[in-house]
């Protein structure tokens, strides 16, 4: 049995498809044929290598346990250790990358997320709004820092609502800065501060209502970072759009030409309002695009070329009425194979 299996070699194949499988089967097939390094870069394995550093100061908040539980259920490495920025989270690779090319770049910090109290964010936003000219310094970013963190504020809407006079009643202001009117407590001022941070300081600010929502965002960031190595490895290939294995709705074409006829039929079906029966009738009459081009070139008039396929009968079921390909599809296929104008509109009914 072993000798027979070794004697019959499987012919090399290519995939022709109009869709890209992003599911687990497609990813497994693509990773399985690119070597052990690519297999180790798969998101499921990369997620176990990813380390999320949590500053101990975050644990002082009552909702921090929700974040820790979400990270624990995700399967990544959660580390409680002091960070360069207090009350921040950082992402890095806990174990070296099996692919040597990307190992040096993965030793650095991948991403950091700085958590701000609502009052602290409003004080910093007020200083930015009062500055004139381009902003040279940001309250939460050190000028010497090579990277800029993402910002997250939990409960800003509730803080703004409680800061309104109607909500406070006769209570005293929450802080001296608010008493002096130095803190923007209105939503328009907050939106203006967000625009300034995005355009001038290039900082993304995440506003969440609860720690549960923050945990969902942190888990989404962690999963996205785990998928990055495999995507970069796949895009670095010579033909990143061609993954091994069978794609969804794909057509297998061998070196001896088997499968080309089905691929030609799939190409015809990409036109609007073309059923498999109509495409099959055209392929039966002209098994390849070259044969159809030769037939179009042999026509003596333009009218004859445009109506070459119009009278082809379409094979239908027993109870269906007999029909033909029709002049509309005949004209579209003729223009598709003969025109040199890239801006020509083929489908007049679109």
């Amino acid at each position: 049995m072993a000798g027979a299996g070794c004697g019959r070699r499987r012919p090399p194949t290519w995939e022709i498809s109009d869709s890209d499988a992003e599911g687990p089967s497609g990813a497994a097939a693509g990773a399985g044929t690119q070597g052990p390094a690519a297999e180790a870069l798969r998101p499921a394995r990369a997620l176990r290598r990813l380390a999320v550093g949590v500053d101990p100061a975050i644990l002082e908040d009552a909702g921090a346990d929700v974040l820790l539980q979400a990270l624990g259920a995700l399967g990544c490495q959660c580390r409680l250790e002091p960070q360069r920025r207090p009350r921040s989270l950082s992402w890095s690779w806990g174990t070296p990358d099996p692919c040597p090319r990307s190992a040096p770049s993965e030793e650095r910090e991948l991403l950091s997320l700085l958590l701000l109290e609502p009052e602290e964010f409003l004080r910093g936003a007020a200083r930015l709004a009062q500055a004139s000219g381009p902003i040279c310094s940001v309250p939460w970013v050190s000028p010497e820092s090579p990277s800029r963190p993402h910002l997250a504020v939990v409960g800003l809407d509730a803080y703004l609502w409680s800061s309104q006079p109607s909500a406070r009643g006769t209570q005293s202001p929450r802080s001296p800065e608010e008493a002096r009117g130095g803190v923007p407590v209105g939503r328009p001022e907050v939106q203006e501060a967000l625009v300034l941070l995005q355009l001038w300081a290039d900082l993304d600010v995440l506003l969440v209502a609860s720690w549960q929502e923050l945990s969902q965002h942190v888990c989404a960031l962690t999963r996205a970072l785990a998928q990055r190595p495999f995507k970069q490895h796949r895009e670095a290939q010579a033909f990143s759009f061609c993954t091994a294995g069978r794609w969804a709705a794909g057509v297998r074409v061998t070196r001896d030409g088997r499968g080309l006829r089905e691929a030609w039929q799939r190409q015809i079906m990409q036109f609007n309002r073309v059923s498999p029966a109509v495409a099959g009738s055209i392929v039966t009459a002209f098994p390849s695009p070259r044969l159809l081009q030769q037939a179009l070139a042999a026509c003596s008039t333009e009218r004859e070329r445009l109506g070459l396929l119009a009278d082809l009968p379409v094979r239908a079921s027993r109870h269906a009425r007999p029909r033909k390909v029709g002049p509309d599809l005949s004209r579209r296929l003729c223009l598709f194979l003969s025109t040199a104008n890239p801006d020509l509109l083929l489908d007049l009914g679109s």
Side-chain angles (χ1 to χ4, degrees):
M1 295 296 294
C6 295
R8 298 182 59 184
R9 298 182 60 185
R10 182 178 178 181
T13 59
W14 296 268
E15 292 291 342
I16 299 180
S17 173
D18 54 358
S19 61
D20 187 4
E22 294 290 347
S25 60
T33 58
Q34 296 178 6
E39 183 69 18
L41 294 178
R42 292 180 58 185
R45 296 192 178 185
L47 185 60
R48 295 193 292 266
R49 297 192 302 110
L50 197 60
V52 182
V54 181
D55 191 85
I58 298 180
L59 302 181
E60 300 177 1
D61 196 290
D65 57 341
V66 178
L67 175 62
L68 297 180
Q69 292 176 3
L71 290 175
L74 192 60
C76 61
Q77 304 177 28
C78 184
R79 300 176 177 178
L80 293 176
E81 54 189 13
Q83 303 297 314
R84 291 187 299 176
R85 304 176 181 90
R87 290 184 54 84
S88 67
L89 293 86
S90 65
W91 284 262
S92 60
W93 293 109
T95 56
D97 184 1
C99 186
R101 294 182 178 180
S102 55
S105 62
E106 291 182 351
E107 295 177 355
R108 58 180 176 82
E109 182 181 86
L110 300 175
L111 184 68
S112 63
L113 180 67
L114 179 60
L115 304 183
L116 299 176
E117 295 289 346
E119 186 176 351
E120 180 184 3
F121 171 75
L122 292 176
R123 286 199 304 266
R127 291 199 298 268
L128 293 177
Q130 295 172 1
S132 59
I135 297 178
C136 300
S137 61
V138 181
W140 312 287
V141 178
S142 173
E144 295 79 13
S145 177
S147 61
R148 297 198 171 189
H150 295 263
L151 304 180
V153 186
V154 182
L156 180 61
D157 289 342
Y159 181 85
L160 290 175
W161 181 86
S162 62
S163 300
Q164 295 177 358
S166 58
R168 291 197 307 263
T170 58
Q171 297 179 1
S172 60
R174 299 175 62 96
S175 63
E177 289 84 357
E178 186 178 344
R180 292 193 301 267
V183 178
V185 295
R187 297 183 187 275
E189 291 80 6
V190 171
Q191 295 296 330
E192 182 180 356
L194 293 177
V195 173
L196 293 175
L197 288 172
Q198 179 66 43
L199 297 182
W200 285 1
D202 193 20
L203 281 180
D204 294 327
V205 182
L206 174 68
L207 303 180
V208 293
S210 63
W211 278 86
Q212 180 68 28
E213 188 176 349
L214 176 65
S215 302
Q216 296 175 357
H217 180 77
V218 169
C219 291
L221 282 178
T222 307
R223 285 190 292 264
L225 290 174
Q227 295 173 2
R228 182 190 295 178
F230 180 76
K231 290 183 177 180
Q232 291 177 344
H233 178 80
R234 185 173 59 182
E235 293 174 356
Q237 305 304 312
F239 298 99
S240 59
F241 53 86
C242 292
T243 58
R246 186 173 182 82
W247 293 358
V251 178
R252 189 175 297 277
V253 179
T254 60
R255 288 185 179 273
D256 57 3
R258 286 180 297 178
L260 285 175
R261 179 166 177 164
E262 185 179 356
W264 167 229
Q265 182 173 350
R266 291 289 183 91
Q267 187 177 13
I268 298 176
M269 291 173 58
Q270 290 179 359
F271 286 86
N272 292 334
R273 305 181 301 279
V274 177
S275 63
V278 173
S281 299
I282 298 176
V283 171
T284 301
F286 302 96
S288 69
R290 178 62 61 86
L291 295 177
L292 181 54
Q293 285 181 325
Q294 293 175 354
L296 291 173
C299 295
S300 57
T301 63
E302 182 68 14
R303 182 177 182 180
E304 183 181 357
R305 277 193 296 269
L306 295 176
L308 178 64
L309 305 176
D311 295 331
L312 285 179
V314 177
R315 295 182 180 180
S317 59
R318 297 180 180 179
H319 304 287
R321 296 179 56 185
R323 56 196 180 100
K324 300 180 180 180
V325 171
D328 178 65
L329 180 58
S330 177
R331 181 193 63 83
R332 284 188 284 162
L333 276 175
C334 172
L335 295 177
F336 173 71
L337 295 175
S338 60
T339 185
N341 181 13
D343 298 325
L344 181 64
L345 181 62
L346 299 178
D347 189 0
L348 298 179
S350 61

